[in-house]
Amino acid sequence: MPTPDTLDVVVLDKDSVADGIVRLTLARPDHDMLPPWEPGAHIDLHVGKPPALIRQYSLCSSPADRHQYQVAVLREPAGRGGSSYIADELEPGDTVSVSAPRNHFVLVPSPRYLFIAGGIGITPIVPMIEAADAAGADWTLVYGGRTRTSMAFAHDLLEARGPRVVIRPQDEYGFLDLDELLATPTNGTAVYCCGPGPLLDAVDAASRHWPTGSLHTERFAPVAHPAPTGEDSDFEVEFAQSGVTLTVPANRSIIDVADEAGVPIVYSCEEGTCGVCETAVLLGEPDHRDSVLTDDERRTGDRMMICVSRARSTKLVLDA
């Protein structure tokens, strides 16, 4: 089962919001309400001819508007074809399938927020700013990109939010000065960052002296984990609901062997970034290799992303 439950939506509009970035407005064909969501959520978009490509995009519209979803898509010529199809072939009036929203980038209540966005990473931040405003929180956005014309929503954010928004195109200012921005830890400030991997790595390094739990990030690509100290080993996985116990060889994933054996597993990215395959761990110790769970969630060890993660123990019992 490589895809989650989906619903069909119609492309109401497709417009350009920056160089190489298009915004899709999606709605039910009957104009009924869509599933609810909160800032930070994303959807799977199924595009192209069968077998469809499945791509995850953050919702950038208002959660208060239950009649439409909006996503912004950066055309990546060197990608796997999903963004190119959306940019070049998808048109208003076309029907596509989407998943219900999922959220691994939840906006926690806080009196103050520092939002840091890089490029297309602005998309989940836009509804977060709306929510922070509605809650009466203090906030600042620092937004970097290659050029002004490549930065989606930059003009609208400046017009609507004024001095709280700091726009820093790289061709005018160079790279964001994260050491200065994060020099002084501030209690009660939640730092939210989304963008390319190098930006997230740099923000993580520059904020390590901040209180634990201050930094919240979302990645579009899998994080690079340290190489294992030894070779991967075989281990057993018992799927409690299915009543099946399988051996996972060193060179295969849990999803590979489960899918082959007909265990009903739902998954999507197979990179440990989307969170679709999150599975409860009933017994055993996971070896986490995903880019979704927080350090605290990994220490708890009660769930794992079975597309990339393995086992430290000789056996895992999963609620599947």
Side-chain angles (χ1 to χ4, degrees), residues 46-54 81 85 89-90:
H46 297 239
V47 296
K49 299 176 181 178
L53 300 169
I54 304 173
Y85 178 88
E89 300 188 46
L90 198 62

Side-chain angles (χ1 to χ4, degrees), residues 148-163:
R148 284 185 186 271
T149 58
S150 72
M151 298 170 67
F153 312 123
H155 178 73
D156 292 344
L157 286 166
L158 274 173
E159 272 202 343
R161 310 294 183 179

Side-chain angles (χ1 to χ4, degrees), residues 23 40 47 62 73 125 139-141 168 199 222 226:
R23 175 174 55 190
V47 296
S62 172
V73 179
I125 302 297
W139 61 268
T140 300
L141 166 66
R168 289 291 181 265
L199 172 65

Side-chain angles (χ1 to χ4, degrees), residues 234-249 253-254 257-265 282-283 314-320:
D234 297 359
F235 59 94
E236 279 193 343
V237 176
E238 178 184 338
F239 297 92
Q241 292 186 34
S242 302
V244 174
T245 299
L246 302 171
T247 297
V248 181
S253 70
I254 297 175
V257 296
D259 212 19
E260 186 175 79
V263 177
I265 298 294
L282 304 179
L283 187 68
T314 57
K315 181 176 180 178
L316 292 173
V317 180
L318 302 179
D319 188 17

Side-chain angles (χ1 to χ4, degrees), residues 5-317:
D5 292 335
T6 60
L7 57 95
D8 287 339
V9 294
V10 174
V11 180
L12 291 185
D13 192 25
K14 174 184 174 183
D15 63 317
S16 175
V17 291
D19 292 346
I21 299 176
V22 296
R23 175 174 55 190
L24 301 180
T25 301
L26 310 168
R28 286 184 183 270
D30 58 6
H31 303 291
D32 200 359
M33 288 196 298
L34 291 158
W37 61 282
E38 296 182 351
H42 68 267
I43 57 173
D44 290 345
L45 191 62
H46 297 239
V47 296
K49 299 176 181 178
L53 300 169
I54 304 173
R55 299 293 180 264
Q56 290 77 41
Y57 297 108
S58 297
L59 291 164
C60 59
S61 45
S62 172
D65 186 351
R66 292 281 305 280
H67 289 91
Q68 65 178 28
Y69 291 155
Q70 288 185 333
V71 296
V73 179
L74 171 66
R75 189 184 192 282
E76 300 183 81
R80 293 178 291 174
S83 65
S84 296
Y85 178 88
I86 291 169
D88 301 339
E89 300 188 46
L90 198 62
E91 297 294 341
D94 289 348
T95 298
V96 294
S97 295
V98 300
S99 69
R102 294 187 304 278
N103 200 343
H104 291 280
F105 195 34
V106 177
L107 186 69
V108 299
S110 180
R112 287 181 299 277
Y113 298 96
L114 171 59
F115 299 113
I116 304 172
I120 196 64
I122 190 62
T123 50
I125 302 297
V126 170
M128 288 184 175
I129 289 173
E130 178 184 319
D133 255 352
D138 185 20
W139 61 268
T140 300
L141 166 66
V142 179
Y143 179 15
R146 291 182 293 103
T147 64
R148 284 185 186 271
T149 58
S150 72
M151 298 170 67
F153 312 123
H155 178 73
D156 292 344
L157 286 166
L158 274 173
E159 272 202 343
R161 310 294 183 179
R164 291 185 174 189
V165 176
V166 180
I167 304 295
R168 289 291 181 265
Q170 184 181 333
D171 63 339
E172 299 176 31
Y173 295 93
F175 291 111
L176 296 179
D177 190 344
L178 299 173
D179 289 334
E180 180 181 349
L181 181 63
L182 297 165
T184 305
T186 307
N187 287 324
T189 297
V191 181
Y192 276 78
C193 181
C194 187
L199 172 65
L200 298 179
D201 293 341
V203 169
D204 180 60
S207 63
R208 286 179 184 167
H209 59 299
W210 280 59
T212 301
S214 296
L215 179 62
H216 307 261
T217 61
E218 182 172 50
R219 291 180 179 268
F220 298 136
V223 65
H225 292 285
T229 53
E231 292 185 1
D232 286 333
S233 302
D234 297 359
F235 59 94
E236 279 193 343
V237 176
E238 178 184 338
F239 297 92
Q241 292 186 34
S242 302
V244 174
T245 299
L246 302 171
T247 297
V248 181
N251 62 344
R252 301 188 70 192
S253 70
I254 297 175
I255 276 181
D256 282 342
V257 296
D259 212 19
E260 186 175 79
V263 177
I265 298 294
V266 177
Y267 60 93
S268 177
C269 74
E270 299 183 74
E271 294 182 330
T273 58
C274 73
V276 171
C277 69
E278 182 176 323
T279 304
V281 179
L282 304 179
L283 187 68
E285 183 182 2
D287 178 6
H288 295 292
R289 303 184 184 184
D290 65 278
S291 306
V292 176
L293 298 176
T294 66
D295 289 341
D296 285 343
E297 289 169 337
R298 291 178 182 182
R299 281 190 288 269
T300 301
D302 61 354
R303 55 186 134 159
M304 65 187 294
M305 305 301 154
I306 60 173
C307 64
V308 292
S309 298
R310 299 185 64 80
R312 293 187 185 278
S313 51
T314 57
K315 181 176 180 178
L316 292 173
V317 180

